[in-house]
Amino acid sequence: MSGPQYGAQPGGYYNNNNNNYPPPPPNSYQMNPMPTDGNYGQQPQYGYGGPPPQQYGNGYGDGGYAPPQGPPPNGYKPPPTDGYGGPPPSYDEVFKVQKPKYNDWWAGLLFLATVAGFVAVSAISIHGYADNRSQNNGSLNGQRNTFGLTTHTIYLFVWVLICAIVLSYAYMWMARKFTKQFIYATGILNIVMGLVTALYMLSRKYWSGGIVFLIFVVLQALFFWSCRSRIPFSTLMLQTAIDVSKVHGHVYLVSAVGGVIGTLFAAYWAITLVAVYVKFEPDPNNAACRNAGGCSSGKVIGLIVFITFAGYWISEWLKNTIHTTVAGIYGSWYFNSRNYPTKVTRGALKRSLTYSFGSISLGSLFIAIINLIRQLAQAAQQNAAQEGDILGTILWCIFGCLIGILDWLVEFINRYAFCHIALYGKAYFAAAKDTWKMVKDRGIDALINECLIGPVLTFGATFVAYACGLIAYLYMVYTKPAYNDGGGFTPVVVAFAFLIGLQVCNVFTTPLTSGIDTIFVAMAWDPEVLMRDHPDLYHRMVQVYPHVQEAIHA
């Protein structure tokens, strides 16, 4: 047998002059004839009324290959990774970066400048906090500080972070151990937690927070009920992603390391938030203002907006870097399952931090801006509710819903564009355009819409955020810090606790969505590989969602 073959010609779909898509990465091996062992080599019996799929000749002995009668009896079994063309290739050999290699570099420089600005603000603010720590330490609830956030708030955020970490790890563990029950459990837990939080806030006459949480619960319940018929297909895709992650690559290691980094950054960001209030809040009792000056309400607002934006951008960049790295792992499994490349995780991470750094920064920037606007809209809605402005509350709620739709749309495009970037290193806008057009042309968008894993994991992150928000609210109510005597800081602290829980959980769960997204994009690139190299998956997809044939044979 000859050695690995790189640069294989793409199928006729990619040679069509009406489509300008990049070819799928070649399988870097030449296949031996498949053995006839009771599954392979038999004429399959399909569970649908249409004709069997086209047979594809790619060196498979008899010139064609058909899916077996059913999945292997013991579930997923990874195909052999040797004996099919010599030594396995490296990740960089299979997925060669297109020129120019460095794309969207200006966005990368802007991101680094934002990080530097955040660090500068943090250093100045924490230094001012440290110089006046006696005023802010006084006791657990900072009785000597009556004008702004204190060490009390840092303690609060420590408990919030512990809650976020524990629940996020537990959530990932549940996804691995109880995959079939995972989707139902997520929907029910999220609705129950949101309802409990809303009812408790309403019982305490915290009307604005209670009403907002109650609206979220109603919308989520309606969505979950309307999508229950899509759960079997979603369960299959989640099970496939988890099965692959157990065998190939360091998916859970990437998730764990990313989760730790995300948690540490959240802690650093929370300390910076408190320090900004201590350093710049104008008040006669603020020693930092008396000693150094330069305090004003406008400066506090401006710095809070900046560090919130920076926090969103940095956390989104971290999440998307994890996503792009994991996409390289799943792309290697899909296209090269029988001769799995070497150094996949390392190669995908290196590409994310070098060639694709600017593109990842650019895509993350859009989400950061949208999230900042949504955060400001929520704050305005809560203020209107506290002032009894019903019309203003309704208008801000509608605006927040519109921003939420925009956020979903951009996130949707980002997820699949970053899969393209992970494998080919293309510029952000070009990758988004090509990937979306290819997905639409293939009909894979129907499969994407049928899969609930993205919304389900969002529900899970929201559940963690609910829990963090509830802990923050209870902590503020029962410790009664002096700076919150009138309750004015409660919405701020609860909102930021909710944000911390949401972002930390999103970082932990990113590898699961990344795997499924990459499988969909890879199916759009070369659906023949699904039937040829992953026939058990194709067979099960047809069983739970027969319309998959319309997309695969488009």
Side-chain angles (χ1 to χ4, degrees), residues 87-320:
S90 68
Y91 179 81
D92 291 332
E93 290 175 320
V94 175
F95 301 103
K96 295 182 179 180
V97 179
Q98 299 179 4
K99 294 183 178 181
K101 292 186 175 182
Y102 293 93
N103 294 296
D104 303 313
W105 55 267
W106 61 269
L109 293 179
L110 183 60
F111 174 76
L112 293 177
T114 301
V115 172
F118 175 80
V119 171
V121 171
S122 176
I124 294 172
S125 302
I126 293 176
H127 182 268
Y129 172 85
D131 287 344
N132 299 276
R133 59 184 178 274
S134 61
Q135 183 183 27
N136 298 288
N137 284 340
S139 62
L140 176 63
N141 55 5
Q143 294 294 334
R144 298 179 62 185
N145 182 335
T146 60
F147 57 85
L149 303 182
T150 65
T151 304
H152 165 279
T153 318
I154 295 179
Y155 294 149
L156 183 157
F157 283 136
V158 168
W159 286 109
V160 167
L161 286 170
I162 292 174
C163 174
I165 295 172
V166 171
L167 291 181
S168 297
Y169 267 117
Y171 191 61
M172 289 291 291
W173 176 83
M174 187 172 70
R176 295 187 64 184
K177 297 296 183 181
F178 307 102
T179 306
K180 293 182 179 180
Q181 299 82 12
F182 176 74
I183 296 176
Y184 289 102
T186 296
I188 294 171
L189 285 175
N190 190 64
I191 293 170
V192 170
M193 175 59 74
L195 185 61
V196 169
T197 304
L199 293 178
Y200 181 78
M201 289 183 174
L202 291 174
S203 69
R204 301 285 303 186
K205 297 183 179 180
Y206 178 38
W207 306 115
S208 60
I211 292 173
V212 170
F213 273 75
L214 194 60
I215 291 173
F216 285 163
V217 168
V218 172
L219 293 176
Q220 289 166 353
L222 291 175
F223 175 82
F224 189 73
W225 177 259
S226 65
C227 296
R228 64 191 185 280
S229 63
R230 293 150 62 180
I231 290 178
F233 179 74
S234 305
T235 302
L236 170 62
M237 297 309 300
L238 178 62
Q239 185 66 64
T240 301
I242 291 176
D243 288 343
V244 174
S245 68
K246 293 178 180 178
V247 180
H248 295 298
H250 305 86
V251 174
Y252 291 108
L253 177 62
V254 172
S255 175
V257 173
V260 170
I261 295 174
T263 302
L264 293 176
F265 173 72
Y268 178 42
W269 182 89
I271 294 172
T272 302
L273 173 68
V274 174
V276 166
Y277 273 101
V278 172
K279 173 67 176 175
F280 298 105
E281 181 70 18
D283 190 276
N285 297 322
N286 189 350
C289 289
R290 292 198 306 268
N291 296 335
C295 297
S296 69
S297 297
K299 184 175 292 186
V300 171
I301 294 173
L303 290 176
I304 293 299
V305 170
F306 172 73
I307 66 171
T308 301
F309 166 73
Y312 271 125
W313 197 1
I314 294 171
S315 59
E316 285 295 326
W317 172 85
L318 174 63
K319 184 180 71 174
N320 291 326

Side-chain angles (χ1 to χ4, degrees), residues 270-449:
I271 294 172
T272 302
L273 173 68
V274 174
V276 166
Y277 273 101
V278 172
K279 173 67 176 175
F280 298 105
E281 181 70 18
D283 190 276
N285 297 322
N286 189 350
C289 289
R290 292 198 306 268
N291 296 335
C295 297
S296 69
S297 297
K299 184 175 292 186
V300 171
I301 294 173
L303 290 176
I304 293 299
V305 170
F306 172 73
I307 66 171
T308 301
F309 166 73
Y312 271 125
W313 197 1
I314 294 171
S315 59
E316 285 295 326
W317 172 85
L318 174 63
K319 184 180 71 174
N320 291 326
T321 299
I322 295 172
H323 170 56
T324 308
T325 302
V326 173
I329 297 173
Y330 280 88
S332 299
W333 164 79
Y334 183 88
F335 290 110
N336 289 77
S337 59
R338 300 185 185 278
N339 198 25
Y340 192 75
T342 61
K343 304 177 182 178
V344 171
T345 306
R346 187 188 313 171
L349 178 61
K350 176 184 176 182
R351 185 172 300 182
S352 300
L353 297 177
T354 53
Y355 302 138
S356 302
F357 178 76
S359 300
I360 295 174
S361 300
L362 180 57
S364 303
L365 172 62
F366 295 136
I367 298 297
I369 294 174
I370 293 172
N371 283 335
L372 177 63
I373 296 173
R374 185 168 60 179
Q375 184 86 355
L376 296 175
Q378 290 175 350
Q381 178 184 342
Q382 291 178 347
N383 288 335
Q386 284 185 330
E387 295 173 358
D389 185 358
I390 299 177
L391 178 60
T393 303
I394 295 174
L395 292 177
W396 280 114
C397 182
I398 295 173
F399 180 74
C401 291
L402 295 176
I403 293 297
I405 294 173
L406 179 61
D407 178 52
W408 171 84
L409 178 61
V410 177
E411 282 273 19
F412 186 86
I413 295 173
N414 272 2
R415 283 159 46 193
Y416 302 102
F418 285 138
C419 293
H420 190 296
I421 290 170
L423 303 181
Y424 289 105
K426 209 166 187 180
Y428 173 78
F429 287 112
K433 179 181 177 181
D434 289 352
T435 303
W436 179 242
K437 188 175 187 302
M438 185 165 53
V439 165
K440 290 287 289 183
D441 289 349
R442 271 294 183 191
I444 302 297
D445 58 319
L447 301 184
I448 292 171
N449 292 332

